[in-house]
Amino acid sequence: MSILEAVDATRTALEKEPGRAVVRVQTEARLEAGTKVAVQAGRHSLTVDEPPSVGGTGTGPNPVQLVLATLASCQAITYRYWAELLGIRLDAVTVRVEGDLDVRGILGLDPDAPPGPTAVRCTVTVEGPEEAARYEELRRSVDAHCPVLDVFTMALPVERILEVGGAPAA
Amino acid sequence: MSILEAVDATRTALEKEPGRAVVRVQTEARLEAGTKVAVQAGRHSLTVDEPPSVGGTGTGPNPVQLVLATLASCQAITYRYWAELLGIRLDAVTVRVEGDLDVRGILGLDPDAPPGPTAVRCTVTVEGPEEAARYEELRRSVDAHCPVLDVFTMALPVERILEVGGAPAA
């Protein structure tokens, strides 16, 4: 199914059953030896780990690398969708996302240092035959509809539950 | 190097050279055919894609699955670090993160629907021989120092640059 066919099919399905618009996305991470984590996202598995320099075994990207890379991939895919939706030809897209991280925040070495990135920069390079203004129009639509950019730029409450030995903690 | 040795070495190094506390983390995503994206995070590669039901080829997790899974893995690793730092024995950790997503937001089918998750729930199950109160103490330290939880719960500005054909867009 092409992207436009998929969007049309989704629109038609949701007009009939609006209650299906909100889907639940489920993931799981299981800590193995040291800092190695086995992750399940849908039917896909991956490994997340810290490098040896901070006590890990380096068998996968670490979470900060991965969250920045996820923003980069989400921007790239959203460029694809919105180029199709707006009829803008797109020959190539590369997204570089970099973040500044104060390692004192994660390790509790400075109470004033936040644990997350303190600055994030996202540079998108597109190639194609259209006027620059059309790619600027595309960028505005992408930035308004990119789910992971939303996660970064909005303060999203996260409900947290701790269970000890399978039972809720006292 | 153990986690405690790594934290001690980091503390000592930063006392000598505080200017090294902020590190730059770089990632890149390159759009391939359709919605398939080749992602580089440090020396690790992965594939991100959408499922066929929305016009992709299903060769990897999609960005929303991946960002939720990244939060799950970051929580798991931060449990490991802070259990070591606080001297709390931890025999197992599993983290389930789920999010509600209104697909109308991404596809622009409803201007009132946000593109990102509308609710996120994080359930951590720990196993170990300590009193429940110690795991609750651990949870508080983890939630105060988890970088990806910070990305979700704080509004983080993301600087965005568009380059067309390698040159900045007009």
Side-chain angles (χ1 to χ4, degrees):
Chain A
M1 192 174 341
S2 77
I3 288 173
L4 288 179
E5 287 166 349
V7 172
D8 273 344
T10 303
R11 181 187 288 114
T12 304
L14 293 180
E15 279 166 2
K16 286 180 193 159
E17 297 182 79
R20 290 177 57 196
V22 178
V23 298
R24 180 160 295 177
V25 182
Q26 295 179 307
T27 66
E28 187 173 293
R30 199 180 65 251
L31 191 61
E32 299 186 338
T35 61
K36 187 177 175 186
V37 182
V39 174
Q40 200 67 33
R43 61 183 188 79
H44 302 281
S45 309
L46 65 148
T47 301
V48 177
D49 199 351
E50 294 292 334
S53 59
V54 290
T57 47
T59 57
N62 72 28
V64 171
Q65 290 176 317
L66 195 57
V67 78
L68 297 174
T70 303
L71 173 58
S73 69
C74 197
Q75 284 268 301
I77 290 175
T78 310
Y79 267 84
R80 177 69 81 204
Y81 273 94
W82 281 88
E84 294 285 322
L85 290 166
L86 298 172
I88 295 174
R89 188 171 136 191
L90 195 59
D91 293 339
V93 181
T94 303
V95 184
R96 295 191 306 282
V97 172
E98 60 176 34
D100 296 339
L101 189 76
D102 189 330
V103 297
R104 293 171 300 196
I106 302 172
L107 301 176
L109 299 177
D110 180 348
D112 293 331
T118 51
V120 177
R121 291 168 294 277
C122 176
T123 305
V124 180
T125 305
V126 300
E127 289 176 32
E130 316 254 3
E131 299 279 331
R134 289 230 74 195
Y135 294 112
E136 182 56 35
E137 175 194 351
L138 176 58
R139 186 191 68 76
R140 284 195 301 272
S141 286
V142 167
D143 286 352
H145 296 97
C146 177
V148 177
L149 183 61
D150 211 47
V151 170
F152 273 73
T153 57
M154 305 291 283
L156 186 64
V158 176
E159 184 188 339
R160 296 191 289 284
I161 297 161
L162 175 65
E163 297 174 342
V164 179
Chain B
M1 190 173 341
S2 77
I3 289 173
L4 289 179
E5 287 166 349
V7 172
D8 273 344
T10 303
R11 181 187 288 114
T12 304
L14 292 181
E15 280 166 2
K16 286 180 192 156
E17 296 181 79
R20 290 178 57 199
V22 178
V23 298
R24 179 161 297 176
V25 182
Q26 295 179 307
T27 66
E28 188 172 291
R30 199 181 65 252
L31 191 61
E32 299 186 339
T35 62
K36 187 177 175 186
V37 183
V39 174
Q40 200 67 33
R43 61 182 187 81
H44 303 281
S45 309
L46 66 147
T47 301
V48 177
D49 199 351
E50 294 292 334
S53 60
V54 291
T57 47
T59 57
N62 72 29
V64 171
Q65 290 175 317
L66 195 57
V67 78
L68 297 174
T70 303
L71 173 58
S73 69
C74 197
Q75 283 269 301
I77 290 176
T78 310
Y79 267 84
R80 177 68 80 203
Y81 273 94
W82 281 88
E84 294 285 322
L85 289 167
L86 297 173
I88 295 173
R89 189 171 135 191
L90 195 59
D91 293 340
V93 181
T94 303
V95 185
R96 296 191 306 283
V97 173
E98 60 176 33
D100 296 337
L101 189 76
D102 189 330
V103 297
R104 293 171 300 195
I106 303 171
L107 301 176
L109 298 178
D110 180 347
D112 294 331
T118 51
V120 177
R121 291 168 295 277
C122 176
T123 305
V124 180
T125 304
V126 299
E127 289 176 31
E130 317 252 4
E131 299 278 332
R134 288 230 76 195
Y135 293 112
E136 182 56 35
E137 176 193 352
L138 176 58
R139 185 191 68 76
R140 284 195 301 271
S141 286
V142 167
D143 286 352
H145 297 97
C146 177
V148 177
L149 183 61
D150 211 48
V151 170
F152 273 74
T153 58
M154 305 291 283
L156 185 64
V158 176
E159 184 188 338
R160 295 192 289 284
I161 298 161
L162 175 65
E163 298 174 341
V164 179

